[in-house]
Amino acid sequence: MAEHPWTALYPEQVPVTMQISHRSLIDAWKERVARTPQAPALAYFDGMRTVRQVDDETDALAAAFVSLGTGRGDRVGVYLQNVPQYALVLLALWKLGATALVLNQMYRGRELRRLIDDSGATGMVCTDGGLTETGQTLEGSTVRWMVSTSPLDYQTRNDARVFASTERFASASDGDLCELVDRFRGSRPDAVDLTQDDVALLAYTSGTTGPPKGAMNTHGNLLAVTATYAAWVDLQPGDVVFATAPLFHITGAVINATIALLHDTLLVLANRFHPEVAIEAFAEHRVTFTIGSITAFNAIYQVPHASREHFASMRALYSGGAPIPPATIERFRERFGVYIHNVYGMTETSSAVIAVPFGTEAPVHEASGTLSIGVPLPNLATRVVDPHGEPVPYGEQGELELGGPQVVPGYWNKPEATASTMPGGRLRTGDGAIMDEQGWVYLVDRLKDQINTSGYKVWPREVEDALYEHPAVHESAVVGHPDDYRGETVVGYVSLKSGASATEAELIAFTRERLAAYKCPRVVHIVADLPKTQTGKIRRNVLRESPDTVLDTPTA
Ligand code: AMP
């Protein structure tokens, strides 16, 4: 049998291995500037920026960051929605050899502070609206400067569906981003001799145990992913990319934003995702490629007036981050005439590494009914292994293990976590998989307790810890239950201390004060006791698979 059978499934234009010639993302960007300076690079409602403008403005912004004391290797928080400023900040930081710490806009208080403390970020770019709260959260932290920006900038349409208000707020102590760009216009930072090993993005994942871990996505990682994936979807000059995924998630940052910036394509942004606004942008800008979670496409499906016209220019549509029910793809194609290709990636692989070949339809695994996530992209070392790390035969189940230039070199300041998750540079994904003889990969089991709600990952422990802080809670366990819209929904199980009382609504509200909304349980069951192993460990799998056994027991 061929060693890499999947290469037979590669689209015509995709080589089996690809040379990554650029030394850094900035090298690749500079080539684009030289090639097509007048081409449009960024669109945001009625606002447009050419490649030349973006280059000039990111030079100015980089100079402003230098004036604030930022240089190579420094981490700077980027706490924004899908706005043009996101792309500008990424390029400006990379020009300095600094690292963008990408921060989920839904994070609040302690969640945000933990990432700042772990990363030792020294600067922060955030939205003007939430400035007071963010400032309070960062008090006494390593952050020395804060720059704010308004999502209303770079456009004039002020679409009420995605802008909470048209009010402009006072800017941060170190200035407003657009004002800084104006003030430093014409300045340029000293060129930095970057290598593929410089860290471009620090993106956090949590984990079953311990504090969150920052995956160090290097310039080399991003170059490898964007080059292989651009070949995969046959991205061509003139393509138009809509950022459906949030740019603070690795998918959005890498294969919406970075890929579009480095290839001769237009990146269309529309602030936070709104299904009606998205399809209008598809039609207005003649979008040809996008990638987002299946929940985003489900939301589009629910827009009554969404039609084939909105998708008329769409050439390639991909969805990643969460399982896709085969029936969802069918009904989407029936209504809009577009096939949704599945794609798999992780924060630790700088996003897309396994995907359905463009123009091919994914097979469904007969025994499990699971839709294939695709086949490995060029340069990815892919194996399915048993618990001892030995490869299992095709057709048998094991853990998906990945290596190659797409896999990050490790977690920020966490050599032990790096050694246990990526022994010898090979990433143990925690995803139970089967590869068939042709090389199609199916995710058939979850070896980790992670909950996947609309593509957002929730680690039960963090939610359980929030519940434990409630004075009435004796024990808590959190699991994902199937949900038609979100894929999975977060459900909590709680037993109360003797004599204590609390309501389900009260416990949910309690978590909402501590966690981003998507992590909070939608339902909390108060039960007499939680199922445990003989050694007293709570058995989440019982709650996941047969919750009735617990719910039938009357509470004391
Ligand atoms: P994240 O680090 O947030 O990107 O999450 C990575 C995890 O998302 C993977 O380990 C998988 O469990 C899950 N995942 C990513 N892509 C897919 C997909 N296409 N189908 C099913 N699960 C996926």
Side-chain angles (χ1 to χ4, degrees):
M1 193 183 301
E3 204 191 337
H4 296 140
W6 55 86
T7 56
L9 293 161
Y10 276 15
E12 207 183 325
Q13 74 280 0
V14 180
V16 169
T17 52
M18 286 181 75
Q19 285 301 324
I20 309 300
S21 53
H22 296 111
R23 274 172 70 79
S24 74
L25 296 162
I26 291 303
D27 271 3
W29 166 255
K30 285 287 175 199
E31 280 181 19
R32 181 183 185 190
V33 178
R35 257 192 326 261
T36 55
Q38 300 313 328
L42 297 175
Y44 185 56
F45 301 93
D46 56 348
M48 187 72 84
R49 279 280 175 290
T50 65
V51 174
R52 164 68 59 218
Q53 283 172 318
V54 170
D55 195 45
D56 289 347
E57 288 173 11
T58 53
D59 275 348
L61 192 56
F65 290 158
V66 171
S67 79
L68 293 166
T70 298
R72 187 173 190 166
D74 289 339
R75 280 81 56 212
V76 172
V78 191
Y79 191 42
L80 302 171
Q81 288 286 5
N82 286 11
V83 293
Q85 295 92 313
Y86 212 117
L88 300 182
V89 172
L90 290 182
L91 284 171
L93 291 174
W94 294 341
K95 284 181 174 181
L96 301 177
T99 300
L101 163 69
V102 291
L103 295 165
N104 188 323
Q105 267 274 289
M106 284 175 270
Y107 279 12
R108 289 282 171 277
R110 197 170 51 179
E111 283 171 312
L112 179 64
R113 180 62 188 258
R114 281 204 304 174
L115 306 192
I116 298 296
D117 290 347
D118 190 83
S119 65
T122 49
M124 183 85 170
V125 182
C126 57
T127 308
D128 60 354
L131 206 53
T132 316
E133 195 190 330
T134 310
Q136 280 164 359
T137 302
L138 301 186
E139 234 166 55
S141 75
T142 45
V143 170
R144 292 193 307 259
W145 60 260
M146 268 171 84
V147 166
S148 61
T149 189
S150 168
L152 296 165
D153 285 335
Y154 293 104
Q155 60 84 47
T156 64
R157 222 177 260 163
N158 295 355
D159 189 327
R161 292 169 297 180
V162 288
F163 295 103
S165 83
T166 49
E167 191 184 343
R168 283 179 180 271
F169 301 89
S171 44
S173 50
D174 297 288
D176 167 83
L177 187 142
C178 291
E179 281 170 23
L180 285 174
V181 166
D182 280 340
R183 194 177 335 144
F184 284 84
R185 202 174 284 279
S187 311
R188 178 177 299 162
D190 294 337
V192 179
D193 187 23
L194 291 168
T195 72
Q196 290 201 357
D197 296 332
D198 279 275
V199 180
L201 300 176
L202 196 57
Y204 273 81
T205 74
S206 2
T208 345
T209 53
K213 305 184 286 269
M216 298 188 288
N217 290 261
T218 64
H219 282 249
N221 293 143
L222 266 64
L223 286 167
V225 170
T226 51
T228 51
Y229 192 61
W232 200 254
V233 300
D234 202 15
L235 209 62
Q236 294 293 333
D239 263 320
V240 180
V241 180
F242 181 81
T244 301
L247 301 189
F248 55 70
H249 188 265
I250 198 73
T251 307
V254 180
I255 50 175
N256 284 172
T258 309
I259 202 169
L261 290 171
L262 301 191
H263 295 81
D264 297 347
T265 63
L266 170 66
L267 174 63
V268 181
L269 298 158
N271 203 9
R272 63 190 178 79
F273 178 79
H274 187 292
E276 287 173 26
V277 175
I279 56 171
E280 286 165 26
F282 292 176
E284 178 180 357
H285 298 286
R286 312 286 306 154
V287 171
T288 59
F289 168 73
T290 194
I291 170 162
S293 72
I294 197 64
T295 306
F297 295 124
N298 277 335
I300 287 176
Y301 189 85
Q302 289 186 356
V303 176
H305 66 272
S307 73
R308 284 180 178 244
E309 277 74 69
H310 291 111
F311 288 88
S313 54
M314 194 65 77
R315 199 175 55 72
L317 198 71
Y318 274 80
S319 176
I324 310 178
T328 303
I329 295 188
E330 271 323 306
R331 60 178 198 167
F332 203 87
R333 172 158 60 182
E334 222 163 81
R335 179 150 161 221
F336 302 122
V338 189
Y339 177 80
I340 302 175
H341 297 73
N342 202 353
V343 50
Y344 168 94
M346 290 177 75
T347 306
E348 291 90 338
T349 65
S350 299
S351 78
V353 284
I354 296 179
V356 176
F358 177 49
T360 306
E361 291 187 16
V364 175
H365 187 245
E366 221 171 283
S368 63
T370 313
L371 185 82
S372 174
I373 53 170
V375 302
L377 266 66
N379 303 1
L380 186 75
T382 314
R383 304 196 307 176
V384 178
V385 298
D386 66 17
H388 309 290
E390 294 300 321
V392 301
Y394 294 122
E396 283 187 24
Q397 191 172 331
E399 182 177 359
L400 186 63
E401 187 209 71
L402 304 171
Q406 293 97 329
V407 174
V408 300
Y411 299 112
W412 174 255
N413 274 346
K414 297 219 167 28
E416 279 161 26
T418 302
S420 65
T421 313
M422 303 165 208
R426 301 191 67 99
L427 171 68
R428 306 295 295 258
T429 62
D431 288 314
I434 290 175
M435 181 186 271
D436 71 15
E437 298 210 346
Q438 286 185 290
W440 288 102
V441 183
Y442 305 87
L443 295 193
V444 285
D445 191 19
R446 186 199 346 238
L447 306 171
K448 48 193 178 190
D449 275 333
Q450 194 182 52
I451 301 165
N452 194 331
T453 175
S454 301
Y456 287 114
K457 309 306 178 317
V458 181
W459 288 92
R461 216 187 90 131
E462 197 182 353
V463 189
E464 289 163 2
D465 285 350
L467 285 165
Y468 272 116
E469 283 178 35
H470 191 283
V473 170
H474 171 53
E475 282 177 329
S476 74
V478 168
V479 295
H481 281 183
D483 179 277
D484 280 347
Y485 190 68
R486 297 181 185 82
E488 285 186 320
T489 188
V490 181
V491 178
Y493 291 84
V494 159
S495 65
L496 300 181
K497 288 178 185 155
S498 72
S501 69
T503 63
E504 293 180 10
E506 182 186 335
L507 292 171
I508 292 173
F510 187 77
T511 60
R512 284 193 167 257
E513 287 163 19
R514 287 162 175 77
L515 300 168
Y518 70 89
K519 294 182 188 170
C520 299
R522 296 203 159 239
V523 179
V524 171
H525 297 291
I526 297 177
V527 298
D529 205 2
L530 293 171
K532 306 216 181 74
T533 61
Q534 283 186 338
T535 55
K537 201 167 170 266
I538 295 172
R539 296 175 67 197
R540 291 198 192 102
N541 59 329
V542 172
L543 297 170
R544 208 162 38 225
E545 284 145 29
S546 36
D548 289 352
T549 52
V550 186
L551 297 178
D552 285 349
T553 326
T555 49

